Amino acid sequence: MSKTCGGPVAWPWSGGVGGRTGTLTTQYSVQEAAPATEGDGGHGSRRAPRKHRLLRWSSATLAVLILAVAGTGYLYYRHLNSNIEQDDLNLGDNKVAEPTPNAAGQTPLNILLIGSDARDSKENQELGGAKETFGSTPLADVQMLLHLSADRSNLSVVSMPRDTLVKIPKCTDPDDGKVYAASNGRVMANQSLGHGGPGCTVATWQELTGIHIDHFMMVDFSGVVSMADAIGGVPVCVDANILSRDSQGHGSGLKLKKGTTSVRGEQALQWLRTRYGFEDGSDLARAKAQHMYMNSMVRELRANATLSSPNKLRRLAEQATKAVTVDTGLGTVKKLYDLSNELRGVQPDRITMTTMPNRYVGARVEPTEDAEQLFRLVREDIALDGKDAKKATAEKADDASADPAAAKDEIGVLVQNGTRTDSLAAARGRASTVAALLVDKGYTKAVSDRSASLSEAKTLVRYPSAELEGDAQAVAKSLGIPLSSVKKSTEVSGVTLVVGADWREGTTYQAAKEDNRTPKTAEALNGADESACMHVNPGFTW
């Protein structure tokens, strides 16, 4: 595949280094943006970038590293704050409702990690190459969603291949008010960054996944190098000698011997950017290598105290704060530190790295049915390691609304036909049939929407605001629809029943038993797995 999921990413991680709770220990994964020699890049026309938007690639270790130095003085703390670039969180019109708190009042935390392929400085050009892209509109070539569970017991990461075909929603640039129209059909997901900034990438993810995103982070090449140096090296493994360079000069230049090597500095960046030489040479293989690096970094930060030197921490904090762009909700050192504390309690064996299940469409990819399964698990805060799936299912089964429902004949219900699938046309008359069924049950204001032909895999009941939650749940119970299928949505103006592809015929709804296992196609990698080793393509050995 010519271009998929390249680029760097950052994700904060903490867990007292060497057991010292006062020390910063954030780990980040970096996904590289592929160099221009590794694919067409899909750049197209580009407008001049803004400084804060050109930040890319993360080795995002900021949360933890930045903080450890804050104690050196208030003025220095203010200086670090001034380094941090900020941008709007969501540039789209549609919002996704925040998840319902659990019994303890906790909600999950979702952070989108973004890496761009632009090179806006001499240092980053030297590290990343592709000098011809200087001054061009950056692409979001690394996109990873970090999901911290509501009870803070587990962490899940979902990488999206950069060439995933998606619909980019309408976005408005917060700087100049320029409106970018929604894409005409599906385009590569990495183009979203050029539609006003990282907030459009956030909007695109929310539209695709239905997952509410709380924050985003972007970082650049130099941050990857700095973090790897500060840690003192991150162990990585290959199953054969590798040299990532072909006869045309394509490749990162990574050269390692078979077995485990501790990489740091530019060599660590090469590992994160390598596509030529790993497995089939696609960006999917590169994402897998990045997941291995992230997990190894977490383990290293927990196992040693290489960040205990104040001078190292100060240098790292300086570089990290200059490299990062975040939404306004994370725009200070203190907020980043608070985030690191949120992540502190997650053990490596409760961290799961995955790649969005996909299939090829020419040289690009698109999400599969397994991708929706993965997104649902994240939306419903079900751990991808499978260790709390039963608990999560039980909690949601009892999640009845405290809001009493109105009388049946006072509840307006719009019924829509969502039975269309990729391979089947919509089942005729389903909205009218189910609306009539509701009328027979006493919901005399139920009507069918004959203009809508939607595509929903599962039957859903949607409602726009808290005061209608009880009504929506009452409608669901009347038809035997589980409460987990009752969703708050800003896309509807009243209680709306969407008859999904799981109810194409009959008058009795049979709820399918939910499979809460992480799809095998997500290629899950556990954070405690020290046996992971990248397969080297025989054409790139030495």
Side-chain angles (χ1 to χ4, degrees):
M1 163 172 173
S2 71
K3 233 185 115 163
T4 297
C5 189
V9 183
W11 67 284
W13 167 257
S14 98
V17 172
R20 301 171 62 176
T21 58
T23 317
L24 266 172
T25 65
T26 292
Q27 284 92 0
Y28 250 18
S29 86
V30 225
Q31 275 199 340
E32 66 155 320
T37 55
E38 293 200 10
D40 57 47
H43 285 264
S45 61
R46 304 173 175 182
R47 70 185 179 94
R50 299 171 297 159
K51 176 186 174 185
H52 67 278
R53 196 184 293 156
L54 293 182
L55 289 151
R56 58 242 152 301
W57 294 54
S58 73
S59 129
T61 77
L62 32 186
V64 191
L65 26 135
I66 297 180
L67 281 152
V69 293
T72 58
Y74 177 65
L75 290 179
Y76 187 59
Y77 173 79
R78 289 185 61 186
H79 166 70
L80 292 179
N81 280 342
S82 69
N83 285 344
I84 301 172
E85 295 281 355
Q86 300 181 45
D87 214 328
D88 288 8
L89 174 63
N90 189 339
L91 306 186
D93 292 337
N94 296 326
K95 311 300 179 185
V96 173
E98 296 183 19
T100 302
N102 62 15
Q106 302 166 303
T107 55
L109 187 64
N110 295 307
I111 304 169
L112 186 62
L113 309 172
I114 305 171
S116 151
D117 73 344
R119 280 77 169 168
D120 63 340
S121 69
K122 179 179 180 181
E123 179 182 12
N124 283 312
Q125 283 188 351
E126 289 175 351
L127 291 170
K131 295 179 175 58
E132 64 273 19
T133 67
F134 182 81
S136 60
T137 301
L139 299 174
D141 273 350
V142 174
Q143 301 178 40
M144 285 186 179
L145 180 69
L146 181 154
H147 172 83
L148 180 63
S149 65
D151 64 5
R152 304 310 190 244
S153 68
N154 64 88
L155 186 69
S156 303
V157 176
V158 179
S159 291
M160 181 191 290
R162 61 181 176 180
D163 285 356
T164 300
L165 296 175
V166 299
K167 292 182 179 178
I168 299 176
K170 184 184 78 171
C171 292
T172 303
D173 191 316
D175 284 355
D176 57 17
K178 180 176 179 179
V179 176
Y180 292 82
S183 62
N184 183 15
R186 298 191 304 175
V187 298
M188 290 195 300
N190 64 355
Q191 296 180 21
S192 60
L193 190 60
H195 288 221
C200 194
T201 305
V202 169
T204 301
W205 264 79
Q206 292 196 156
E207 294 275 337
L208 175 67
T209 67
I211 298 169
H212 175 80
I213 294 176
D214 301 284
H215 301 292
F216 73 79
M217 302 177 72
M218 293 198 307
V219 216
D220 65 10
F221 288 140
S222 60
V224 181
V225 175
S226 299
M227 184 59 182
D229 285 341
I231 295 172
V234 174
V236 295
C237 176
V238 289
D239 66 1
N241 294 348
I242 181 175
L243 175 59
S244 178
R245 188 74 74 196
D246 66 10
S247 58
Q248 283 76 47
H250 299 153
S252 70
L254 177 71
K255 185 175 183 180
L256 295 175
K257 292 182 179 180
K258 176 181 178 180
T260 300
T261 303
S262 182
V263 296
R264 59 187 300 174
E266 291 189 37
Q267 193 175 46
L269 181 61
Q270 288 176 332
W271 173 275
L272 295 164
R273 299 184 65 243
T274 293
R275 175 159 68 89
Y276 288 92
F278 284 156
E279 299 186 352
D280 63 355
S282 74
D283 288 304
L284 298 174
R286 174 163 48 194
K288 185 183 296 185
Q290 292 166 349
H291 292 164
M292 290 183 186
Y293 181 94
M294 291 170 68
N295 283 339
S296 185
M297 178 182 284
V298 170
R299 294 193 297 269
E300 283 300 296
L301 285 170
R302 285 182 172 274
N304 64 69
T306 55
L307 295 183
S308 59
S309 165
N311 287 333
K312 285 185 178 180
L313 284 169
R314 190 173 295 108
R315 287 195 300 270
L316 188 54
E318 186 73 33
Q319 294 165 348
T321 50
K322 287 181 177 178
V324 67
T325 294
V326 298
D327 64 279
T328 54
L330 286 179
T332 67
V333 169
K334 182 183 184 303
K335 290 177 180 178
L336 291 172
Y337 181 62
D338 290 343
L339 174 61
S340 75
N341 282 335
E342 291 264 43
L343 298 165
R344 186 182 304 275
V346 184
Q347 300 297 315
D349 65 351
R350 297 304 313 277
I351 298 172
T352 307
M353 304 282 176
T354 64
T355 298
M356 181 197 78
N358 59 83
R359 56 177 163 249
Y360 282 101
V361 181
R364 312 304 180 198
V365 299
E366 65 181 5
T368 62
E369 293 75 14
D370 282 355
E372 173 51 34
Q373 163 79 348
L374 187 64
F375 298 152
R376 180 183 68 79
L377 295 179
V378 174
R379 285 196 302 267
E380 298 182 3
D381 195 28
I382 297 174
L384 299 187
D385 60 11
K387 294 182 180 179
D388 68 358
K390 292 182 179 179
K391 178 190 71 175
T393 302
E395 287 177 352
K396 295 186 182 304
D398 295 331
D399 193 20
S401 173
D403 175 54
K408 291 182 178 181
D409 59 359
E410 295 179 1
I411 299 176
V413 186
L414 180 67
V415 184
Q416 297 178 327
N417 187 345
T419 58
R420 177 171 51 83
T421 70
D422 290 341
S423 57
L424 296 172
R428 297 187 62 173
R430 290 308 292 157
S432 297
T433 298
V434 176
L437 182 62
L438 282 170
V439 171
D440 289 344
K441 290 180 177 292
Y443 294 91
T444 55
K445 292 186 177 181
V447 296
S448 62
D449 180 1
R450 299 183 180 181
S451 65
S453 177
L454 309 177
S455 178
E456 288 287 351
K458 187 170 67 172
T459 297
L460 300 171
V461 181
R462 294 181 170 129
Y463 63 95
S465 56
E467 56 267 23
L468 292 179
E469 182 180 22
D471 294 355
Q473 290 191 355
V475 170
K477 289 178 182 178
S478 295
L479 296 174
I481 298 170
L483 295 188
S484 61
S485 295
V486 179
K487 307 289 184 183
K488 185 177 180 181
S489 172
T490 57
E491 297 180 2
V492 298
S493 56
V495 176
T496 302
L497 169 61
V498 183
V499 184
D502 60 347
W503 197 10
R504 291 179 60 86
E505 58 185 21
T507 56
T508 301
Y509 180 70
Q510 296 291 334
K513 184 178 180 180
E514 289 190 331
D515 182 359
N516 290 331
R517 295 173 298 179
T518 299
K520 291 184 178 179
T521 51
E523 300 190 62
L525 179 64
N526 185 270
D529 184 357
E530 298 185 36
S531 66
C533 198
M534 285 303 296
H535 174 63
V536 176
N537 187 308
F540 290 85
T541 60
W542 56 276

